[in-house]
Amino acid sequence: MRALTVRQPWAAAIAHGPKRIENRPKAIPAKHQGTTILIHAGLAEDVNALPADMVRDWPRHWGAIIAVADLADCHHDDGCCRPWGFPDTWHWRLDNVRAVPHPILGVRGQLGLWTVPDDVLVAVQRQVRLEAPA
């Protein structure tokens, strides 16, 4: 299974809030569109995040698998998807987002979509049903 590393507070806004658009410089690779992925909260904080009233006090973890989501589709920005979608980026649309009740800590992320180690996947599967998107 693949994972996507996202900086805080964006990762928390996906896992616990209404953020369903992830901004990326490229489109979703065709072979991954429509698949289920894990959301990994990276070690870095985005200092340019939206105002505090948008990112709220959702639980935050760093270096952890915190959610499962279906990688539905993507489109290039055309002024849509505000406030979560940024200009001049690809908007990756996330559906069926489920927070992992007990985040899997101590997981090292990578750039792009990356393969999750088997032990991490098993730990997620103990908490969240990983079903293929319809």
Side-chain angles (χ1 to χ4, degrees), residues 88-99:
D88 300 319
T89 62
W90 282 88
H91 297 173
W92 292 19
R93 188 169 59 86
L94 305 171
D95 283 343
N96 195 25
V97 176
R98 291 99 66 206

Side-chain angles (χ1 to χ4, degrees), residues 110-127:
Q110 298 177 33
L111 295 176
L113 288 165
W114 50 276
T115 303
V116 176
D118 289 342
D119 61 326
V120 172
L121 182 56
V122 168
V124 171
Q125 289 174 316
R126 288 186 185 127
Q127 300 181 58

Side-chain angles (χ1 to χ4, degrees), residues 9-31:
W10 307 120
I14 291 169
H16 304 288
K19 186 175 190 285
R20 295 298 177 261
I21 296 294
E22 175 55 21
N23 300 285
R24 294 287 156 159
K26 296 180 182 179
I28 298 169
K31 67 183 179 181

